[in-house]
Amino acid sequence: MAMNRRDFLKVSAGASGSLMLSLSLPGCSGIPTGYTEETGEWKPDAWLEITRNDKIHFTLARVEMGQGTYTGLTTLIAEELEVDPEAITPRFAPVAPEYRNPLYKLQLTGGSTSIATSWEPLRTAGASARQMLIMAAADVWQVDAAECSARQGRVVHPNGLDSMRYGQLVELASKQVIRGDIPLKPAREWKYIGKQRGRLDAHAKSTGTAVYGIDVELPGMVYSVVSRPPRYGARVKSFNKSEVLAMPGVLDVFEIERGVAIVADKYWRARKAQDALKAEWDNAEALSLSTGEVFASYRKAADEDRGESERSEGDYENAVEKAGQVFEAEYSQPYLAHSTLEPMNATAWYRDNSIEVWAPTQAPDLGRIAAARVTDLSPGDVTINTTFLGGGFGRRLTQDYIEEAAAVSYRVRKPVKLIWSREEDTQHDLYRPAMLHRMQAGLEGNRLTGWHHQIVGPQLLDWYVRNAAPAQYPWAPKFMYDTLGKVGLLAEGIATPKDMSAIEGAIEYPYNVDNIDIRHTHTDPGVPVTFWRSVGYSHNGFAVETFMDELAYEAGEDPYQFRRKLLAGQPRHLEVLDRAVQLSKWNTPVLEGRGRGLALFKSFGTFVAQVVEAGVENGNIRVYKVACAVDCGQVVNPRIVEDQIEGGIIFGLTAAIYGEITFDEGQPQQSNFHDYQLMRQTELPEVTVDIVQSTEAPTGVGEPGVPPVIPALGNALFALTGKRQRSLPLKADA
Amino acid sequence: MALSLTVNGERRSLDIEGDTPLLWVLRDELGLKGTKFGCGVGLCGACTVHLNGQPVRSCSTPVESAAGGEVTTIEGLAEDGQLHPLQKAWIAEGVPQCGYCQSGQIMSAAHLLATNPAPARDDIVAAMTGNLCRCGTYSRIIAAVESVAGKSLAYDAQAAGEER
């Protein structure tokens, strides 16, 4: 839902003084707004609450999982409200239509969209509240509101001397009606946007007081662990219930949809009881393949089906026929786990025909559907309380852990905290899909004349609509959930958005080549998959930017100049490319034993170029430096942009060097950080981030640091060794 | 079994199975949720606390092996209502992203400074490499520790002087 400021204001003005600023969907109940005499609270809109004691609360509708919404979105509203962001206390939003992400029509945090989608609405909300406060003060003083100003939580009289606190004005402000346009502050007057500032959650996160899902404590709470079948899709056949029930502290042992749940008075007792559990699994419908078969099935699918055309320009077949040389390469990437440092967990409390859930979730309205599905309740009876998230990276868009906690509490009728072990988190993840890419290009001399990219692998919405579709149709009865999911998929592009997860980043191929043919062969081997930081861009970036590098060498050109020539008319691509190259001192010789590699990739609207300097030390890949230039439009908090890009680089390098989940007869082979490694402090490269100053609309930064660093590292290793690696993870001894 | 621990300067008596990891005792019996569960086998460092002045992975330290000992957690790092210099540095530097690993990071850094008040960069990297951060805050961690390294004693002396 694209929302411009005028539409937005039409809604607020049309509400005849109810001061409802957020978009209301027909048939959905809104968040109550207005002034409450007893409490002295004024809610000018769904986001803000100002009390007569000058407390300011901001309802944060995008969860905080490290990416900085807690600080960034608060800054947007503070800027226009004319208060220091530190003076505002954010709180996590309940589930309500007002808090939906307008791009997805769901209340979810993902796709690096939080700043981009909040940029106008939150500033408008802040400006509207400020304007009403000014009008209230002008009424009191009997002066022209246009002559008054707002500063640091006070309205200032035209004489420049007298002022009133916002708290003194809330009741009067609530009676004001704004007519016409609400002007936003011009950029030159910004005090907080674009300025280097710290994080509002740093204190809580440096003192151990930030509350994550795993920290929730309820009276009479019990603990649960679930033993899930080793192979995805298997069912419980039988288990030794009485032996487990006899273990100390165990309260109940029973089957739920996803395995065998054990409930005990203490977490450790539940874990110990789990050791005593002997379960037999019915593997009739279980996943049985091994990793090699996944890629074999992809190749077979690619041979049999050239795939749906996703972008076609010129006449690729003809161009290839005419070309002097045709180059081909096949790239592949493995399944990847998310490894959020806080393992999956949720706390649920079923009582009095309702259920309340506390969870670190990226999509609370999908959590509602998940909890309703496994109880006798409807989504409206489910309350979701969102906590801080100990990492998200897309994993917490899927609500399986809420589903489990709700199912267990439904059975035991007590508050239940359910925690996954690290091993369970790794082996029962929904993974970044393994993918295959077949690339082909025509070169006439050193001129690239044709580009062909066949992407082979699954689509993520196939695994996602189960909960997402019902959340978009909250009126639908539960028995329709599965149907809704299927209908959503069938009506892709109409009822649900077109699934871009496999092709994003590939179809936006930016280089000026006359003949382009990009296809997707849709095939799904049945391994559960979901969104993973940078999603489709994570694999397409590797394929596109590695193949571009191969072609540059084939053409006998410098990889930088080769790309540069093909980017005429793409000023933002060129700008970041030039800057990264300059930052890396591309044209100076590297030290002995090192190579430099380059990649350029736009994702989520943000342009990123990176140069990696790497080598091999003691049989291990060693990354020394990463020079990065980024253009994300208007920057709200430069320090957070830098941190997100650097964090994305480390996330990407971790995947490039270590990341691989393999399957053996349907069972994931990795389990904990010894065999699914994360990059450590000793491996940290020197990262430099250059941010382009821009007045373009802001775009996201949570994910765009990831995609280019993977091919840039591969390209650096090629520059060093002369050996091209076309599958991930990269190897030191290739 | 009955045992006692001194946690953040306070003596606590417990009746608990001796093989329960110290982590779950701190979190669930004593309500100190600042120490985090990450991997359960001492690989990630999120659960780092000090036991008798040494950093330990509380997720794989049976509480019976800590009986009678002195434990310091992130909640006990502040003194006299003043945050530890490292905590102030963490806030000033804006280290945390998701923040889940940071209690463990700070406890590892606090032990480093307690034993080596002026660590070189290499010392910091070596001391901190057992603490994983999935968000990639590593460079800010080094910067925060460096901002305190070699200065904490001087600060304390100065603060003490001012008080006198």
Side-chain angles (χ1 to χ4, degrees):
Chain A
M1 192 188 312
M3 182 162 59
N4 63 39
R5 191 143 52 94
R6 194 149 294 280
D7 289 346
F8 182 85
L9 285 167
K10 217 178 284 166
V11 174
S12 68
S16 64
S18 74
L19 308 175
M20 186 72 184
L21 275 171
S22 47
L23 274 179
S24 262
L25 300 176
C28 297
S29 66
I31 297 291
T33 58
Y35 180 73
T36 312
E37 177 67 45
E38 306 85 71
T39 57
E41 293 163 356
W42 173 44
K43 291 184 177 178
D45 52 64
W47 291 287
L48 269 178
E49 178 189 301
I50 306 174
T51 74
R52 60 178 161 231
N53 301 321
D54 292 292
K55 297 258 185 302
I56 305 174
H57 289 107
F58 164 52
T59 301
L60 182 65
R62 299 289 167 271
V63 300
E64 173 59 64
M65 47 189 168
Q67 85 284 34
T69 48
Y70 196 86
T71 305
L73 299 192
T74 305
T75 301
L76 295 183
I77 209 152
E79 181 69 65
E80 290 291 342
L81 191 58
E82 289 291 356
V83 295
D84 191 310
E86 299 268 0
I88 297 180
T89 309
R91 55 188 170 203
F92 303 122
V95 177
E98 285 84 350
Y99 303 129
R100 289 180 167 189
N101 185 322
L103 289 176
Y104 307 123
K105 299 184 177 67
L106 291 168
Q107 190 172 333
L108 67 78
T109 307
S112 297
T113 54
S114 294
I115 289 283
T117 57
S118 306
W119 174 243
E120 288 259 339
L122 286 187
R123 287 186 305 144
T124 305
S128 309
R130 170 186 23 107
Q131 183 60 25
M132 286 185 265
L133 288 158
I134 287 176
M135 289 160 71
D139 272 0
V140 174
W141 289 323
Q142 290 296 301
V143 296
D144 183 357
E147 301 291 311
C148 300
S149 59
R151 200 165 61 217
Q152 289 294 318
R154 303 180 82 98
V155 179
V156 182
H157 191 279
N159 67 18
L161 296 171
D162 299 325
S163 69
M164 289 176 83
R165 293 181 291 106
Y166 284 177
Q168 292 172 287
L169 294 165
V170 287
E171 187 174 0
L172 267 178
S174 73
K175 300 192 168 74
Q176 305 298 323
V177 179
I178 299 177
R179 295 180 208 287
D181 209 354
I182 299 170
L184 297 178
K185 288 165 71 175
R188 64 176 183 280
E189 289 177 17
W190 287 340
K191 298 186 182 80
Y192 309 109
I193 292 173
K195 307 292 189 288
Q196 193 74 260
R197 288 179 69 88
R199 293 179 62 115
L200 299 177
D201 52 357
H203 188 281
K205 289 175 174 178
S206 304
T207 52
T209 52
V211 176
Y212 298 85
I214 203 169
D215 301 329
V216 169
E217 189 79 43
L218 296 171
M221 189 171 79
V222 296
Y223 295 84
S224 180
V225 301
V226 173
S227 281
R228 301 166 196 84
R231 288 167 55 185
Y232 179 79
R235 311 288 293 207
V236 180
K237 194 191 276 177
S238 65
F239 58 99
N240 55 338
K241 179 167 181 155
S242 55
E243 281 164 52
V244 182
L245 258 179
M247 294 289 288
V250 173
L251 304 170
D252 207 347
V253 184
F254 51 93
E255 181 184 343
I256 60 172
E257 193 180 322
R258 293 168 46 84
V260 179
I262 299 166
V263 183
D265 59 346
K266 295 178 195 294
Y267 173 73
W268 191 246
R269 286 176 151 180
R271 275 287 162 221
K272 275 170 61 178
Q274 191 184 33
D275 290 341
L277 177 75
K278 292 185 186 70
E280 299 259 345
W281 309 103
D282 173 358
N283 287 320
E285 287 175 29
L287 194 68
S288 62
L289 49 68
S290 300
T291 300
E293 294 166 65
V294 172
F295 289 104
S297 76
Y298 283 178
R299 290 191 180 97
K300 187 163 176 286
D303 290 341
E304 288 169 358
D305 171 15
R306 2 185 348 240
E308 188 172 334
S309 175
E310 301 289 359
R311 180 173 164 191
S312 174
E313 278 161 34
D315 184 346
Y316 175 76
E317 303 293 337
N318 184 41
V320 169
E321 226 164 86
K322 273 178 44 197
Q325 304 159 275
V326 176
F327 292 95
E328 287 184 330
E330 183 188 277
Y331 298 92
S332 65
Q333 295 113 340
Y335 292 102
L336 295 172
H338 296 79
S339 300
T340 60
L341 215 58
E342 179 190 17
M344 294 305 110
N345 69 86
T347 300
W349 192 355
Y350 182 97
R351 54 175 167 166
D352 307 331
N353 295 317
S354 67
I355 191 165
E356 195 164 359
V357 174
W358 292 257
T361 172
Q362 288 178 249
D365 52 359
L366 306 195
R368 257 183 164 185
I369 301 297
R373 182 191 296 282
V374 293
T375 60
D376 60 354
L377 302 172
S378 60
D381 304 321
V382 182
T383 304
I384 305 280
N385 303 285
T386 306
T387 61
F388 277 112
L389 281 65
F393 314 120
R395 173 62 181 88
R396 289 183 160 108
L397 290 167
T398 302
Q399 311 298 312
D400 45 352
Y401 51 102
I402 287 182
E403 189 170 306
E404 290 178 351
V408 174
S409 183
Y410 180 48
R411 156 95 177 214
V412 302
R413 309 279 159 131
K414 284 186 170 74
V416 175
K417 187 192 285 185
L418 188 144
I419 306 173
W420 295 28
S421 67
R422 174 59 52 192
E423 290 78 9
E424 290 163 352
D425 194 271
T426 306
Q427 302 201 318
H428 301 276
D429 199 353
L430 301 97
Y431 304 97
R432 198 290 306 272
M435 298 295 284
L436 186 82
H437 304 259
R438 286 187 169 170
M439 320 293 293
Q440 210 181 61
L443 272 178
E444 284 182 31
N446 62 359
R447 202 169 71 86
L448 185 55
T449 57
W451 175 268
H452 168 84
H453 184 174
Q454 182 185 12
I455 301 143
V456 187
Q459 295 188 151
L460 301 183
L461 285 187
D462 296 358
W463 290 86
Y464 196 66
V465 289
R466 192 171 111 102
N467 286 334
Q472 288 179 325
Y473 305 97
W475 42 263
K478 278 205 286 184
F479 69 84
M480 280 182 64
Y481 283 3
D482 284 340
T483 316
L484 277 175
K486 285 173 194 140
V487 169
L489 278 182
L490 286 173
E492 188 184 282
I494 304 161
T496 61
K498 176 170 168 60
D499 191 339
M500 307 296 282
S501 61
I503 57 174
E504 58 189 7
I507 53 170
E508 301 99 321
Y509 180 77
Y511 299 102
N512 295 322
V513 177
D514 290 340
N515 305 288
I516 293 177
D517 179 33
I518 298 169
R519 297 176 171 276
H520 175 216
T521 300
H522 184 186
T523 174
D524 192 331
V527 173
V529 289
T530 196
F531 302 87
W532 184 95
R533 193 174 187 174
S534 81
V535 198
Y537 299 99
S538 74
H539 51 83
N540 286 319
F542 175 66
V544 170
E545 282 297 294
T546 310
F547 197 48
M548 284 300 289
D549 209 65
E550 296 208 46
L551 294 170
Y553 281 96
E554 288 296 340
E557 295 208 5
D558 174 85
Y560 164 51
Q561 294 298 342
F562 182 74
R563 286 175 174 82
R564 208 177 188 294
K565 277 194 320 198
L566 295 168
L567 287 168
Q570 308 269 27
R572 296 178 79 182
H573 280 91
L574 279 169
E575 174 82 19
V576 292
L577 179 63
D578 288 348
R579 284 188 185 218
V581 158
Q582 201 172 11
L583 200 59
S584 71
K585 302 191 172 65
W586 178 260
N587 291 320
T588 63
V590 276
L591 290 175
E592 179 72 24
R594 299 186 183 190
R596 265 193 212 114
L598 170 75
L600 165 68
F601 216 62
K602 179 190 173 194
S603 60
F604 307 97
T606 295
F607 302 77
V608 181
Q610 291 168 351
V611 176
V612 166
E613 195 172 308
V616 175
E617 256 182 35
N618 307 320
N620 297 310
I621 295 171
R622 182 70 208 263
V623 181
Y624 300 102
K625 293 179 182 177
V626 181
C628 175
V630 52
D631 175 358
C632 57
Q634 173 66 52
V635 170
V636 175
N637 187 321
R639 183 182 282 216
I640 291 182
V641 171
E642 212 174 275
D643 287 348
Q644 283 307 298
I645 297 296
E646 180 164 344
I649 286 168
I650 291 167
F651 202 91
L653 290 175
T654 298
I657 297 171
Y658 298 117
E660 185 171 31
I661 293 286
T662 54
F663 288 84
D664 182 29
E665 296 185 0
Q667 293 191 36
Q669 298 299 290
Q670 292 71 29
S671 60
N672 206 317
F673 295 125
H674 64 290
D675 55 10
Y676 194 80
Q677 293 196 61
L678 306 185
M679 188 173 244
R680 292 177 176 272
Q681 187 68 267
T682 42
E683 301 162 87
L684 177 70
E686 181 190 326
V687 178
T688 327
V689 180
D690 181 14
I691 304 169
V692 175
Q693 293 279 324
S694 168
T695 53
E696 299 275 347
T699 52
V701 291
E703 298 168 271
V706 179
V709 79
I710 302 172
L713 174 58
N715 295 342
L717 293 176
F718 175 80
L720 176 68
T721 64
K723 288 178 192 149
R724 184 62 71 177
Q725 297 194 52
R726 299 190 179 93
S727 69
L728 294 172
L730 299 166
K731 293 183 174 48
D733 56 354
Chain B
M1 64 185 278
L3 55 85
S4 69
L5 295 169
T6 302
V7 180
N8 299 331
E10 212 177 303
R11 197 174 162 83
R12 312 293 293 259
S13 296
L14 297 154
D15 187 12
I16 186 116
E17 280 143 68
D19 64 352
T20 307
L22 177 59
L23 170 68
W24 300 107
V25 173
L26 293 171
R27 288 179 54 84
D28 294 343
E29 306 299 322
L30 305 179
L32 297 168
K33 304 284 194 198
T35 306
K36 301 303 188 209
F37 167 59
C39 70
V41 288
L43 289 169
C44 76
C47 65
T48 305
V49 298
H50 298 175
L51 174 60
N52 301 323
Q54 294 299 312
V56 297
R57 306 297 192 222
S58 64
C59 74
S60 35
T61 303
V63 67
E64 62 195 353
S65 75
E70 286 197 27
V71 178
T72 306
T73 70
I74 186 76
E75 291 90 347
L77 215 50
E79 275 182 30
D80 305 327
Q82 280 285 306
L83 294 186
H84 189 283
L86 279 169
Q87 291 174 306
K88 290 182 189 167
W90 244 248
I91 295 163
E93 192 62 35
V95 173
Q97 287 186 27
C98 92
Y100 193 76
C101 71
Q102 299 298 344
S103 296
Q105 302 275 4
I106 292 171
M107 294 312 287
S108 289
H111 177 259
L112 168 69
L113 290 185
T115 51
N116 179 3
R121 189 187 173 95
D122 285 354
D123 301 325
I124 299 171
V125 168
M128 301 304 297
T129 205
N131 288 80
L132 296 177
C133 174
R134 183 55 158 156
C135 302
T137 63
Y138 295 133
S139 67
R140 294 249 186 249
I141 287 172
I142 294 178
V145 179
E146 280 182 331
S147 75
V148 178
K151 291 180 192 164
S152 55
L153 292 176
Y155 278 145
D156 287 348
Q158 195 188 348
E162 278 167 12
E163 271 169 28
R164 270 180 228 121

